[in-house]
Amino acid sequence: MTTREAVLAALRAAGRQGVSGQALAEQLGVSRVAIGKHVAALRQAGYDIAGEPGVGYRLVALADGPLPSEIAPRLRDAAWMTLTGGGETGSTNDDARALAVEGAPEGTVVLASRQASGRGRFGREWSSPDGGAYLSIVFRPQVTPAQVAPLALVIGLGIARGLREYLGVDVSLKWPNDVHLAGGKLAGVLLEMAADTDSVEWVVAGVGLNVRRTPDFPPAPAAACLDDIISGLRISTAVAAVLEGIASAYAQWSESGFAALRAEYEARSSLVGQDITVRDMMGVVKASGTVMGVDDEGRLLIATLGGLEAVAAGEVTLREPDESPFA
Ligand code: BT5
């Protein structure tokens, strides 16, 4: 535990009575000036801490954001090594990539409460106002580059597991990387990696999750927020739920491959049985037909007029009833 975390823990323990700066300094073996600096930093991070002469410091309200100090105590899974960040940044994927390049271990997580340049796939923007959680996780999977693609599905499934298990929220998954709640996009997953021909050095998995509607929301048309169905949900609670779910799905994938998750993924899929078209990033149609499921490599299985096709990547749109399958 860092001194700052210890200051926070002591403030929590002191409750409404508060605790004097002198007592904190003695308890933690640091100077009163140091205590003052840690309190200032905690206030900066969003904690409401009253300071009254003669009484001392009193924690009035916890910060509500994706803060390591709020999330770490809620995590049970040992997969999570280090949680960093929590304030504003450009893109957590860039921050996590820099850490990965420096050798950060698997399970390193970078968090942000807002992003100045959050991104989606194919150079698209990810709206990242306050009220959301933006996180990127460093993974070092023992797979070949060709085997990484299902990880986006694994992360989506992990998000679904965590939200179900810890918050009782049921979401659906839109292949390959969207998490939907009541028809709106609740979360998106962005994978970036460094690899040579036959091994993967690191993968950074970015997750954008909409938790609370603020004046900046909706961040995008058809966006959903967790507090549409759970009011007063703390952002740190939502992030902890999602991280726990991701840890469990990732562990299963690492051990047994996507085949072990396939049935659960299909049961959560919003696309199975739907008539769809898949296009590549240039908008060129790759396949059109009815979704049958996914295969053991996470590819989308589509019954087309020419037979069953397995598509590894692309953008799915639902087909209008009168749209020709040859579109
Ligand atoms: C994604 O891309 O869904 C992946 C998003 C990943 C974002 C995370 S946040 C942490 C990490 N750091 C980053 O910089 N990125 C990752 P894609 O499938 O391309 O979807 C992008 C589309 O989703 C946009 O074109 C909008 O239509 C929509 N969109 C943008 N912001 C949204 C939001 N906050 N909520 C719902 N939909 C959004």
Side-chain angles (χ1 to χ4, degrees):
M1 195 189 284
T2 62
T3 308
R4 187 154 308 158
E5 285 162 355
V7 170
L8 182 59
L11 285 168
R12 277 181 197 260
R16 274 197 232 153
Q17 287 200 314
V19 56
S20 73
Q22 184 62 38
L24 277 176
E26 281 166 20
Q27 192 182 327
L28 303 176
V30 296
S31 69
R32 284 193 61 172
V33 174
I35 294 293
K37 282 187 184 157
H38 288 303
V39 167
L42 288 168
R43 284 179 176 145
Q44 179 75 23
Y47 290 91
D48 185 354
I49 300 170
E52 290 159 40
V55 179
Y57 298 113
R58 190 167 49 84
L59 185 60
V60 179
L62 295 171
D64 185 26
L67 293 169
S69 54
E70 292 296 308
I71 297 164
R74 291 186 159 87
L75 295 178
R76 290 185 300 196
D77 201 298
W80 307 119
M81 299 263 173
T82 329
L83 274 63
T84 61
E88 177 165 1
T89 192
S91 158
T92 54
N93 260 39
D94 291 341
D95 300 342
R97 167 193 290 255
L99 293 176
V101 168
E102 285 168 17
E106 176 157 283
T108 301
V109 183
V110 180
L111 299 146
S113 58
R114 59 188 294 152
Q115 297 181 119
S117 40
R119 60 175 179 272
R121 297 180 304 150
F122 312 133
R124 287 190 289 240
E125 187 194 347
W126 184 258
S127 299
S128 310
D130 284 328
Y134 312 99
L135 50 137
S136 297
I137 307 166
V138 176
F139 291 109
R140 297 189 183 273
Q142 304 289 308
V143 297
T144 64
Q147 293 169 323
V148 168
L151 183 53
L153 283 61
V154 173
I155 304 287
L157 188 60
I159 294 170
R161 273 189 190 177
L163 294 176
R164 169 71 243 159
E165 189 173 338
Y166 297 97
L167 303 178
V169 173
D170 273 308
V171 293
S172 61
L173 301 171
K174 183 184 170 218
W175 186 94
N177 71 323
D178 284 6
V179 178
H180 282 210
L181 176 67
K185 184 160 171 175
L186 177 72
V189 177
L190 174 68
L191 295 188
E192 295 175 333
M193 70 167 168
D196 55 32
T197 40
D198 50 22
S199 71
V200 171
E201 199 187 325
W202 51 260
V203 179
V204 165
V207 175
L209 175 72
N210 301 324
V211 182
R212 173 151 323 127
R213 259 174 221 284
T214 63
D216 288 343
F217 263 80
C225 279
L226 275 175
D227 79 350
D228 292 346
I229 56 163
I230 310 180
S231 61
L233 176 67
R234 298 181 61 75
I235 292 174
S236 49
T237 307
V239 172
V242 157
L243 282 174
E244 292 291 88
I246 292 173
S248 101
Y250 181 73
Q252 213 178 339
W253 178 65
S254 302
E255 228 160 81
S256 317
F258 187 74
L261 298 165
R262 182 179 163 183
E264 187 183 344
Y265 185 90
E266 287 178 339
R268 289 246 170 231
S269 167
S270 62
L271 294 181
V272 174
Q274 300 279 348
D275 289 335
I276 57 115
T277 298
V278 192
R279 294 181 171 81
D280 68 13
M281 61 182 290
M282 304 304 289
V284 177
V285 173
K286 294 175 98 174
S288 213
T290 306
V291 175
M292 307 307 289
V294 287
D295 67 11
D296 285 348
E297 279 76 51
R299 294 177 301 183
L300 195 64
L301 293 174
I302 306 163
T304 70
L305 290 178
L308 196 63
E309 286 189 35
V311 177
E315 187 78 16
V316 175
T317 48
L318 294 183
R319 227 167 55 203
E320 298 299 325
D322 57 353
E323 207 181 318
S324 156
F326 298 106

